[in-house]
């Protein structure tokens, strides 16, 4: 049996995926106890033990997930999605040639994946395995359901070598490889992954845990981080808050210095014309939903009833590389 990518979140023994129940071998448990983890019908597996939870239902709520799904499916953040996929395609294509493609499997971790808007697109960039991880069970249920419908889940992938041939038209057909997606409910601070097993990690508006990330990354592995940039949704924040604190996108970079080096930085912006419904979804999917005073929020939404509300989304994407030790 091949060495598993996964480790038990309870005893850290090797954990083997299975279509019904994931089970560790108990080899690192004092009593050789094996721990089972049932896979949900949607296709995700919950690897978040009770002792790692800080609340009864950690992570984003169903309401927030539904709002984000509606907003993102409308294409408002599509430029960011395209930039992320462009950077991944470039990173994963390094070292490959048409005559001699890389034979090393590409394994990627998307931490804080949410309902999977970026994850689904990232699966098309040339990686072999894509682990979608989030602490929110409703988010993973949504992601797994969509992935299952598209036959992207790991147990739905054809393990045989893809055959190439000539269609009736006489034209050689080439298919885009889709990564095998593993949806996991888990904590970013306690990743159930074998050390040095990941080719890269993405954290899109999600936690940055330098030591945990460096532990599961291979030497020279990549870390891609997306954050709000200076001026992100400025007109919304000005309408909601009496005092606006500007985004400090780079404040986390010093914490990464012992483990990673910055390779590249990309800034992108897009103008948004939002209906009252889209604006309500945007507020619900952000911390603005509970940080702003109710009267300010209601006034902002009322202003979008008569004319679209105009604002600008600004993002910064950092590409980092793990330092070899």
């Amino acid at each position: 049996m091949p060495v598993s990518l996964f480790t038990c979140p309870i005893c850290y023994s090797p954990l083997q995926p299975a279509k019904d129940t994931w089970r560790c071998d108990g080899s690192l448990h004092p009593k050789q106890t094996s721990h089972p983890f049932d896979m949900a019908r949607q296709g995700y597996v919950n690897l978040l033990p009770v002792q790692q939870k800080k609340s009864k239902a950690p992570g984003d709520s169903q309401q927030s997930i539904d709002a984000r799904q509606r907003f993102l499916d409308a294409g408002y953040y599509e430029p960011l999605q395209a930039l992320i996929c462009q950077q991944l395609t470039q990173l994963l294509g390094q070292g490959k040639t048409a005559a001699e493609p890389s034979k090393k499997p590409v394994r990627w971790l998307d931490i804080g994946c949410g309902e999977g808007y970026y994850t689904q697109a990232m699966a098309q960039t040339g990686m072999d395995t894509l682990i979608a991880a989030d602490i929110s069970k409703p988010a993973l249920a949504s992601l797994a359901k969509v992935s299952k419908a598209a036959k992207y889940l790991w147990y739905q992938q054809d393990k045989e070598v893809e055959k190439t041939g000539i269609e009736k038209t006489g034209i050689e057909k080439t298919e885009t490889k889709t990564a095998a997606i593993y949806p996991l409910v888990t904590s970013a601070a306690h990743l159930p992954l074998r050390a040095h097993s990941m080719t890269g990690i993405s954290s899109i508006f999600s936690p940055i845990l330098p030591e945990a990330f460096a532990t599961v990354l291979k030497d020279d592995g990549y870390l891609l981080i997306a954050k709000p940039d200076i001026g992100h949704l400025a007109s919304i924040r000005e309408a909601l808050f009496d005092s606006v604190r500007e985004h400090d996108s780079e404040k986390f970079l010093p914490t990464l210095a012992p483990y990673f080096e910055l390779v590249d930085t990309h800034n992108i912006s897009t103008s948004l014309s939002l209906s009252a419904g889209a604006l309500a979804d945007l507020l619900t999917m952000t911390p603005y939903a509970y940080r702003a005073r109710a009267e300010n929020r209601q006034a902002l939404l009322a202003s979008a009833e008569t004319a679209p509300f105009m604002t600008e989304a600004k993002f910064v994407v950092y590409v980092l590389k793990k330092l070899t030790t």
Side-chain angles (χ1 to χ4, degrees):
M1 183 177 293
V3 179
S4 177
L5 288 175
F6 305 97
T7 57
C8 177
I10 298 173
C11 69
Y12 310 109
S13 301
L15 178 66
Q16 292 293 341
K19 192 175 178 180
D20 50 0
T21 301
W22 292 34
R23 193 179 301 274
C24 77
D25 63 13
S27 58
L28 298 181
H29 190 274
K31 297 182 179 180
Q32 304 292 297
T33 301
S34 174
H35 300 102
F37 302 89
D38 292 336
M39 194 164 74
R41 59 180 175 80
Q42 294 93 336
Y44 71 89
V45 63
N46 189 348
L47 299 182
L48 184 67
V50 174
Q51 56 267 36
Q52 292 181 12
K53 291 185 178 181
K54 295 183 179 180
S55 65
K56 186 176 181 180
D60 292 337
S61 66
Q62 189 66 58
Q63 182 184 16
S64 176
I65 292 160
D66 291 343
R68 187 167 62 229
Q69 197 157 26
R70 287 191 299 267
F71 183 85
L72 294 176
D73 285 348
Y76 292 113
Y77 282 5
E78 192 172 317
L80 174 62
Q81 184 194 63
L83 174 61
I84 289 169
C85 290
Q86 178 190 42
Q87 291 305 304
L88 283 178
T89 301
Q90 183 176 323
L91 291 176
L92 300 181
Q94 291 179 3
K96 294 183 180 180
T97 65
E100 189 177 354
S102 174
K103 295 180 180 179
K104 295 180 180 179
V106 176
R107 304 181 181 117
W108 198 275
L109 167 65
D110 186 24
I111 196 74
C113 61
E115 78 301 325
Y117 173 73
Y118 302 99
T119 315
Q120 300 293 334
M122 290 163 56
Q124 312 297 322
T125 60
M127 55 188 69
D128 300 283
T129 299
L130 178 52
I131 296 167
D134 200 290
I135 203 169
S136 167
K137 189 185 294 185
L140 262 296
S142 178
L143 180 150
K145 185 177 179 181
V146 172
S147 301
K148 186 176 182 180
K151 299 191 183 301
Y152 290 172
L153 293 181
W154 60 275
Y155 63 85
Q156 297 174 306
Q157 298 287 301
D158 186 1
K159 301 302 180 183
E160 295 181 4
V161 177
E162 293 185 5
K163 298 178 181 179
T164 58
I166 306 298
E167 298 286 314
K168 291 181 181 180
T169 57
I171 300 173
E172 185 174 353
K173 182 181 178 182
T174 58
E175 295 184 358
T176 302
K177 179 178 66 175
T178 300
I181 297 178
Y182 290 78
L184 306 181
V185 178
T186 185
S187 164
H190 303 91
L191 293 168
L193 297 170
R194 192 178 80 237
H196 312 302
S197 60
M198 294 291 105
T199 308
I201 297 175
S202 50
S203 177
I204 304 169
F205 314 127
S206 295
I208 308 296
L209 301 170
E211 186 174 0
F213 292 175
T215 298
V216 299
L217 271 178
K218 293 180 178 180
D219 286 345
D220 295 330
Y222 290 102
L223 174 60
L224 186 147
I225 296 171
K227 290 282 188 183
D229 204 355
I230 295 172
H232 178 62
L233 304 179
S235 59
I236 291 180
R237 290 183 289 122
E238 289 167 359
L240 290 176
F241 305 106
D242 299 331
S243 177
V244 177
R245 180 186 299 177
E246 195 50 84
H247 290 288
D248 183 5
S249 305
E250 297 186 355
K251 66 181 180 181
F252 68 93
L253 287 178
T255 67
L256 292 168
Y259 308 95
F260 297 91
E261 62 175 338
L262 183 63
V263 176
D264 214 343
T265 304
H266 301 271
N267 303 84
I268 189 171
S269 62
T270 181
S271 297
L272 305 179
S273 176
L274 304 174
S275 65
L279 182 56
D281 283 339
L282 178 56
L283 296 182
T284 301
M285 68 186 241
T286 66
Y288 307 154
Y290 56 87
R291 289 180 182 171
R293 293 204 301 266
E295 57 268 29
N296 289 359
R297 190 175 187 274
Q298 291 168 1
L300 175 59
L301 291 174
S303 71
E305 293 288 353
T306 54
F309 186 87
M310 305 301 296
T311 191
E312 189 173 18
K314 295 186 175 184
F315 311 103
V316 56
V317 174
Y318 301 96
V319 179
L320 302 102
K321 194 172 186 180
K322 181 181 172 182
L323 294 169
T324 56
T325 55

